[in-house]
Structure formats: C-alpha cells, structure tokens
Amino acid sequence: MTILRRGLLAAPALLAVRARAESWPDRPVRILVPYTPGAINDTLARLVGEKMGDAVGQLGVVENRPGASGSLAIAATAQATDNHTICVANTANLTMNPFLFANTGYDSTKDIAPLCVTTRLMNCLAVRSDGGIGSLRELIARAKAQPGKLSYASSGAGSSPHLAAELFRVQAGIELTHVPYRGSAPGIADLLGGRVDMTIDNLPNVLPHVQGGRLKALAVTGSERDPTLPDVPTFAEAGLPGYEVYVWFGFIGGAAMPQAVRDRLSQAIIGIVQGAETAERIRRAGATVWVQDGAQMAALIRSELGKWGGVIRAANLRID
C-alpha cells in the first residue's frame, strides 16, 4: 500500500477524532470518586462539579464508587472511552495500590490520562500529651531502646498513614508495631485512650485534638511548617532530614482521551480550584491548593511510584 493511499484511508478516522474533540463536551461530565461521601476526594469532586457548567458548558455529575482502596473507580476511569468520565485520584490510588494489590485493573503509567493535580495535605505525627514523649528525637530514642514496643495506629493496611509510618520507621532505623483500623476515627480514639502510642495521620484528622490539648504534635510531614500549627516543626527540623510526605489529589481520565479534551479539562479544573471561593473552601477542608499540569502530574506519579514501591517492598506489604 502506498504512503498516499494509507494517508487517504486514515484521513476519515483522524477527522472523526478531531470532530469529537471539537464538539466536546456534548453531555454532562461524570466525576467518579473512589470513596464514600465525606472524604477529601468527595469534597474536591463536588467543588469542581459545582462549577463545571460555567467552565466547559456542561454539568459535572459526581458518582461515588468506593471499593478496593479506590481501585474500582480508577479502573472504571481507565476503561472509559466516552471522553466524559474523569476521576479524583490520590497518592494511594495511583502510586501505592499498584504494589499492594495483585491486580488493580490499571497501570498508573499507561492506562490513565493525568489531567492535573489540584490539592495536597500533609500528615502529622501525634502522641498523647500525657505520654511522656516531648519530641521526635525522644520518640526515636525510646523506640530504639525498646524495639517493637511502641505501636502506631493507621486508618487501614496500605493507607497513606500506614505507609507514612513505615517510611518513618525505615528512615529512622526503628521497629514499631502497626495497629490498623477501619478509618482514622477509631484509631485516634484508641490513641486518646492509651491503647496505641502514636499515629502519623492526615493533619485535619488530628488537628482538633492537638488544638484541644489532648494530643501533642511532634512533627508535620511537609517540607515546611503548616500555618495551622506554626510552632510544630517539620520532620527535617525535628531531627530526621529527608523525610517528607504529602498526600496529593488530582484528576485523571482514560488513556484514550484525546489531547485536546485533556487540555481543556485541565485548564478548566485548575481555573476552578484557583478561584478564591473554591480555594478557601479547600483550605477549610484542611488541604492546600497545589497545582500541577498533566505533564507535571505524570512526572509526579513516576517519582512517587519509585518512592512508595521501595517502602512497600521493604515492609513486605501485600493486600489480597
């Protein structure tokens, strides 16, 4: 077949793809959420969905699809071919689950279209105020003196608090006992009750108890201090250089989504979250607007896969 003939045969298909991209959107945009209502993913989806009509001319319709630590919603997005299905994904969904589950139903580097990162939050290492540990260095010293005796709560095996604590354990060279719970609330309740010794949970979950005086914040996991706890040092400041953990949230589509549609969605979503009203509502939810475009998000995913893959393999973690 000649080059000219191949070009003529391919032209109608190319024109059809271009026409679909130019007519987009021709129906509401479906925004999948990998968790039940109430989580930060759900909050972000609804904030963006509220303003999607103004941004692209079609409504944003939120659909919660929990299951398999978020993998069900990500897999459904990866398999979508309608160009109108997107999903709010986070660090765990895209860079931890691939190492924790035998089959997530998607490859984070091949099967999704990164659109943009919109938000991030840090975790906080907290202990009981009356527990006799006053600093990160004191905690590390006690853990080294009594290997495996100190326990930490997490919101579940494979959750970001769990892996944040595993990263801390590895980098500090200490042994800790993991006590997983079904969500943050029961784990923090047991920390308050003295049944576990510490947690490295999402900052919004521990903040009220720190501000109320029942928990003591030893360090935050970001690269700089959090404005809500200006007197609490980062891990690096507190004595563990190189330790940094953020939980970030972004929007993805399926790999088949045309570049023109990706670009339009990315621009629309970034514009929404950077608006003063939406940014303030995100702040009140305990997170910070942090924007990365599609190319930057793809690079972030690759970097985080390398980071968390090493942590998960070192801890020999697997969820069946």
Side-chain angles (χ1 to χ4, degrees):
M1 185 181 295
T2 65
I3 293 175
L4 176 60
R5 186 178 178 191
R6 283 199 297 268
L8 290 173
L9 290 173
L14 292 173
L15 289 172
V17 169
R18 183 176 300 171
R20 286 197 299 272
E22 290 175 351
S23 64
W24 186 96
D26 57 15
R27 72 193 79 166
V29 177
R30 185 171 60 145
I31 307 174
L32 299 185
V33 178
Y35 304 103
T36 56
I40 186 68
N41 297 62
D42 184 71
T43 299
L44 281 171
R46 294 180 191 282
L47 288 174
V48 169
E50 285 176 9
K51 297 186 181 297
M52 187 66 77
D54 294 334
V56 302
Q58 287 283 354
L59 297 174
V61 179
V62 176
E63 179 183 327
N64 294 87
R65 190 176 292 193
S69 296
S71 294
L72 292 184
I74 309 299
T77 305
Q79 295 159 12
T81 58
D82 60 8
N83 299 328
H84 289 73
T85 297
I86 62 177
C87 181
V88 187
N90 63 27
T91 312
N93 307 148
L94 298 179
T95 68
M96 298 175 181
N97 285 2
F99 302 102
L100 293 168
F101 295 90
N103 181 19
T104 59
Y106 56 89
D107 183 322
S108 298
T109 63
K110 297 177 181 178
D111 299 331
I112 65 166
L115 302 177
C116 57
V117 177
T118 59
T119 314
R120 70 178 181 180
L121 55 81
M122 61 181 76
N123 289 356
C124 178
L125 169 57
V127 297
R128 291 191 317 282
S129 296
D130 61 358
I133 299 175
S135 70
L136 179 66
R137 285 188 173 90
E138 288 180 14
L139 188 152
I140 292 173
R142 184 177 294 188
K144 286 185 175 180
Q146 301 173 314
K149 184 173 181 180
L150 293 182
S151 59
Y152 69 90
S154 85
S155 53
S159 64
S160 64
H162 177 200
L163 294 181
E166 283 297 317
L167 181 62
F168 167 54
R169 183 187 65 77
V170 170
Q171 290 192 359
I174 57 178
E175 292 301 322
L176 300 168
T177 298
H178 177 215
V179 184
Y181 293 83
R182 291 188 176 183
S184 291
I188 291 175
D190 271 7
L191 174 59
L192 292 168
R195 287 174 284 278
V196 290
D197 299 300
M198 57 175 280
T199 189
I200 307 183
D201 208 335
N202 298 163
L203 180 57
N205 296 333
V206 301
L207 184 60
H209 306 288
V210 172
Q211 293 174 329
R214 299 185 67 190
L215 293 182
K216 180 176 179 59
L218 301 185
V220 292
T221 64
S223 58
E224 56 188 29
R225 299 188 182 196
D226 189 273
T228 59
L229 294 173
D231 296 329
V232 177
T234 66
F235 269 77
E237 292 174 328
L240 192 62
Y243 182 92
E244 180 182 308
V245 173
Y246 283 99
V247 182
W248 47 262
F249 304 83
F251 287 76
I252 63 169
M257 181 175 282
Q259 189 62 50
V261 175
R262 300 185 192 192
D263 292 342
R264 191 168 175 194
L265 275 166
S266 178
Q267 292 166 8
I269 294 168
I270 288 174
I272 289 170
V273 300
Q274 288 183 326
E277 177 192 352
T278 304
E280 173 59 20
R281 292 170 71 179
I282 288 172
R283 187 195 67 78
R284 291 202 303 267
T288 302
V289 173
W290 184 63
V291 168
Q292 304 273 286
D293 64 22
Q296 292 169 323
M297 184 179 183
L300 179 64
I301 290 170
R302 290 193 296 271
S303 173
E304 294 276 271
L305 282 167
K307 174 180 180 176
W308 294 114
V311 172
I312 292 166
R313 282 191 290 266
N316 196 28
L317 301 176
R318 197 72 175 177
I319 300 174
D320 297 321

